Amino acid sequence: MEVVEPQTNSLPKAEQRKLDSHFLREPLLTELGNNEVRFSEDAVQLLKFHGSYQQHHRELRKTDKLRSWQMMLRLRSPGGRIPAQLFLALDDLSARLGDGTLRVTTRQSFQMHGIAKADLKEVIGTIIRNLGSTLAACGDINRNVMAPPAPFEKGGYPVARRLADEIAALLSPEAAEGSYLDLWVDGNLSYRFKPSKAVQQARKRQFESGVYSGNASEPLYGNTYLPRKFKVAVTVPGDNSVDLLTQDIGLVAFTAPSGELRGCNVYVGGGMGRTHKKDETFARIADPLGYVTAHDVLDVIQSILALQRDHGDRVIRPHARMKYLLHDKGIRWFRQTLKEDYFRGELAGLRYEPKAKLLDYLGWHQQQAGLWFVGLSLICGRLQGELKQGLRRIVKTYQLEIRLTANQDLLLCNIGTVQRADIQTELAALGFEVPEAPAPLARHAIACPALPTCGLAITESERILPDVLSRLDAQLRRLNIDKTLLVRMTGCPNGCARPYMAELALVGNGPNQYQLWLGGTPNLQKLARPYVERLLLDDLEQTIEPLLLGWKMAGGDCSFGDYIDRLGDRGVAQLLANSP
């Protein structure tokens, strides 16, 4: 299929900006050299591709107009892997040039906040020189590739981790990587990604019919990249630690007894973002596409991305994600177009998968003979104060690798048997006496940062989640309910904490007001539904109490989400109407 470059005189502003940027370079490069405290709007939009968002701190605007302009920086870390050297560099940078904290994201990477524009080059350059990258952590491009973080050397886990690394390399931009290195390390090309032989072979297809964008400098993406963000995750059968159905592409990797990849089930078209009062925007879970053999896994991924590149909506940005293409055209059209115009391999029926579970890997686990890892629960993923300092001491002393989870938790890996007792003692001093048993509600609850830094936030999220969980816990105890439920919270409807998969979600819809979503499942297999449009946070307990009592009376092992599903919309509405 011949790819036709869009006409420059008819492009929407967002597309024209990418086209004019010379592969994400200008005006960002020029503005890095001026003395302004913030970037222009054009530079801000390009900055996202380099891993950073410009933010205007709500609480500093009136007291410190210079410091109120800050940069949030997000890393690219496939599968959540953070080497010791990189973590120590991040810790130092956040203390010297950030707000003193690090935050684990829901896509298995670290975020830094509070960076001044003048310090951004030093921060990104230091990250690059210490085994890290921020390229494509944001923007209209493939973002951080997720995988189960557990460093098991058994089953399909090693394959899933390697596949995440290969997908990240496969979908990395070519020309934009050069721009990235020019901006942040003065063009030192020794820091280019070094893809495996399998990836190098697969990338040859990016110059061939279908996958080829028509631009030799940026063969996969072209000079306008993708219509919107693009997200990929890979896992093993039964492990849903990556929230698989919320991804643009979700892969379930099957392996032979010897550990070699046999092939993958492929799911397409998931996504969380939506906008209040705009029904044309919505959350969606992915459709099953089919099964591909190991030989074709990398090619089907770049073929799907190319299909979205060519057919995704570049005119109406809120309609640009691949989930809307699937919704509008249907999975049958998508599969047929993929096979006819892009993908050369075979798509077979899905292979059987065991029931998925939300695994979190908290506590101590044997990694392999002589090595252990320990999972630590972090409320909202925030590292600060004594906890951050203590983890730095442990990582530095024992040179431990860190792996981050989609649940905003942290794994300390490669712990030798002889080191385990000492590390247990040090962790206990930091509050992790029993790391495998955090508070039940807090175990799987996640929240977005929201106020005061996120420009999209309507109300609070991260800062009040601990109090919300404490209130819910007290209510469950008062009602003598000894079961737990999956809670998620966001300060706006864009869905960064994937709230629409939760059993109970609070989605910001005004100052101290939230939409109430109910009915997701503990293993993240179906969407919740909205039941209250504007819930005052003070009214949370009295609003949901009739539902909690009904759940208690239902008895058995029924989850809260399944109970909501059995009630149906009318039954839920009747019980909500009974609240005071």
Side-chain angles (χ1 to χ4, degrees):
M1 185 187 71
E2 182 181 358
V3 177
V4 179
E5 290 284 348
Q7 295 297 311
T8 59
N9 60 359
S10 62
L11 286 176
K13 186 174 182 179
E15 297 297 306
Q16 189 68 48
R17 179 186 292 121
K18 289 181 282 187
L19 182 63
D20 293 342
S21 71
H22 190 52
F23 303 111
L24 312 181
R25 184 183 303 265
E26 289 291 357
L28 189 54
L29 177 60
T30 297
E31 293 188 23
L32 274 173
N34 67 31
N35 294 320
E36 298 293 329
V37 297
R38 59 189 176 107
F39 292 102
S40 69
E41 178 62 19
D42 284 341
V44 164
Q45 297 306 319
L46 297 180
L47 186 64
K48 295 177 182 179
F49 289 83
H50 295 254
S52 184
Y53 282 80
Q54 180 168 278
Q55 298 181 327
H56 201 192
H57 194 291
R58 311 276 183 100
E59 294 167 2
L60 290 177
R61 290 178 182 178
K62 295 181 180 180
T63 61
D64 194 330
K65 292 184 178 180
L66 293 180
R67 287 183 57 243
S68 66
W69 289 104
Q70 304 176 351
M71 307 300 148
M72 180 275 284
L73 186 64
R74 184 182 298 155
L75 267 69
R76 158 201 172 113
S77 51
R81 179 177 176 268
I82 306 290
Q85 177 183 337
L86 178 57
F87 176 74
L88 296 174
L90 292 172
D91 177 71
D92 175 66
L93 288 168
S94 65
R96 288 194 302 110
L97 302 174
D99 69 355
T101 75
L102 291 172
R103 190 174 192 276
V104 183
T105 76
T106 57
R107 290 200 69 78
Q108 297 182 271
S109 65
F110 271 127
Q111 279 184 186
M112 293 175 57
H113 292 262
I115 304 167
K117 173 178 175 282
D119 295 326
L120 191 58
K121 182 170 182 176
E122 179 181 350
V123 173
I124 296 181
T126 302
I127 288 170
I128 294 170
R129 286 185 284 269
N130 284 276
L131 310 178
S133 178
T134 64
L135 176 61
C138 319
D140 300 343
I141 200 165
N142 179 63
R143 299 194 179 184
N144 196 45
V145 180
M146 298 170 69
F152 293 128
E153 293 298 329
K154 63 183 180 181
Y157 286 92
V159 165
R161 295 195 300 271
R162 185 180 72 244
L163 193 52
D165 287 335
E166 290 181 341
I167 294 168
L170 176 74
L171 303 184
S172 293
E174 289 270 3
E177 186 183 9
S179 299
Y180 177 77
L181 296 176
D182 282 346
L183 264 69
W184 309 114
V185 287
D186 299 320
N188 189 337
L189 299 183
S190 68
Y191 294 109
R192 274 194 178 276
F193 299 127
K194 298 172 177 60
S196 66
K197 290 183 179 179
V199 173
Q200 292 177 39
Q201 184 64 31
R203 291 187 81 152
K204 293 179 181 178
R205 275 270 293 125
Q206 295 178 7
F207 288 91
E208 298 176 2
S209 176
V211 177
Y212 184 44
S213 69
N215 187 296
S217 298
E218 199 69 276
L220 179 61
Y221 288 103
N223 51 15
T224 51
Y225 297 87
L226 295 180
R228 284 297 292 269
K229 68 182 79 171
F230 197 85
K231 299 180 177 181
V232 182
V234 57
T235 190
V236 300
D239 184 332
N240 196 24
S241 58
V242 297
D243 229 341
L244 191 83
L245 298 181
T246 66
Q247 315 290 330
D248 289 276
I249 302 177
L251 302 174
V252 179
F254 293 85
T255 54
S258 61
E260 295 179 356
L261 178 65
R262 281 182 167 170
C264 293
N265 282 347
V266 184
Y267 298 83
V268 291
M272 291 287 96
R274 49 175 292 276
T275 303
H276 289 318
K277 298 181 180 179
K278 291 188 176 181
D279 293 341
E280 66 273 20
T281 67
F282 46 82
R284 186 181 193 274
I285 59 173
D287 294 320
L289 179 68
Y291 175 84
V292 296
T293 62
H295 177 268
D296 291 325
V297 168
L298 294 181
D299 194 49
V300 78
I301 292 165
Q302 62 187 354
S303 296
I304 292 168
L305 183 143
L307 190 159
Q308 162 64 0
R309 176 199 68 207
D310 297 340
H311 293 275
D313 192 340
R314 292 182 182 267
V315 176
I316 305 173
R317 278 187 68 79
H319 189 253
R321 288 290 301 276
M322 196 171 79
K323 64 180 178 180
Y324 297 116
L325 184 63
L326 266 296
H327 174 78
D328 294 346
K329 298 284 191 176
I331 188 64
R332 181 177 297 179
W333 172 90
F334 191 93
R335 185 182 292 113
Q336 180 178 347
T337 303
L338 182 71
K339 293 172 67 175
E340 290 179 356
D341 297 338
Y342 298 91
F343 180 51
R344 295 178 178 177
E346 295 294 326
L347 277 173
L350 291 184
R351 288 188 59 173
Y352 167 77
E353 299 173 29
K355 185 177 180 179
K357 296 180 180 179
L358 171 53
L359 301 180
D360 57 33
Y361 313 111
L362 299 181
W364 286 91
H365 304 267
Q366 188 163 25
Q367 184 172 325
Q368 63 184 72
L371 287 180
W372 301 79
F373 73 92
V374 60
L376 307 176
S377 178
L378 304 178
I379 188 69
C380 299
R382 186 72 68 171
L383 280 178
Q384 56 189 337
E386 292 184 4
L387 174 58
K388 183 165 172 278
Q389 294 170 12
L391 286 176
R392 177 189 176 89
R393 286 194 301 270
I394 293 172
V395 171
K396 184 177 182 179
T397 300
Y398 303 99
Q399 286 298 296
L400 302 182
E401 179 178 279
I402 285 176
R403 287 190 176 266
L404 308 175
T405 83
N407 221 49
Q408 298 182 299
D409 297 324
L410 179 150
L411 313 183
L412 294 175
C413 306
N414 304 331
I415 299 170
T417 300
V418 296
Q419 301 168 334
R420 179 173 170 175
D422 289 340
I423 291 175
Q424 281 180 311
T425 300
E426 294 190 48
L427 289 176
L430 295 173
F432 295 105
E433 293 91 349
V434 190
E436 67 275 12
L441 281 175
R443 183 171 196 128
H444 291 155
I446 58 178
C448 69
L451 298 176
T453 53
C454 180
L456 300 175
I458 303 170
T459 190
E460 296 280 1
S461 181
E462 176 188 346
R463 294 196 295 192
I464 66 169
L465 179 67
D467 180 62
V468 170
L469 296 179
S470 178
R471 289 166 52 187
L472 289 174
D473 181 67
Q475 184 176 22
L476 292 174
R477 290 176 183 273
R478 176 173 55 79
L479 298 176
N480 293 314
I481 297 174
D482 60 1
K483 297 185 286 187
T484 190
L485 62 154
L486 194 155
V487 179
R488 290 178 172 177
M489 191 172 192
T490 60
C492 82
N494 285 281
C496 292
R498 300 187 292 273
Y500 310 114
M501 304 298 287
E503 293 182 276
L504 185 156
L506 297 170
V507 177
N509 197 19
N512 203 36
Q513 297 179 70
Y514 298 83
Q515 282 186 335
L516 177 65
W517 289 67
L518 303 168
T521 56
N523 62 346
L524 306 170
Q525 294 296 292
K526 68 180 181 183
L527 289 171
R529 299 181 300 282
Y531 286 99
V532 179
E533 183 66 19
R534 289 186 181 270
L535 171 69
L536 289 173
L537 196 58
D538 289 343
D539 296 337
L540 174 61
E541 289 93 334
Q542 68 181 29
T543 300
I544 65 172
E545 186 146 321
L547 294 171
L548 294 176
L549 288 171
W551 179 37
K552 176 184 177 181
M553 293 177 61
D557 295 327
C558 176
S559 71
F560 183 69
D562 284 339
Y563 170 69
I564 295 295
D565 191 54
R566 292 177 189 178
L567 277 180
D569 290 349
R570 180 175 297 180
V572 172
Q574 289 175 345
L575 286 178
L576 288 173
N578 292 334
S579 62

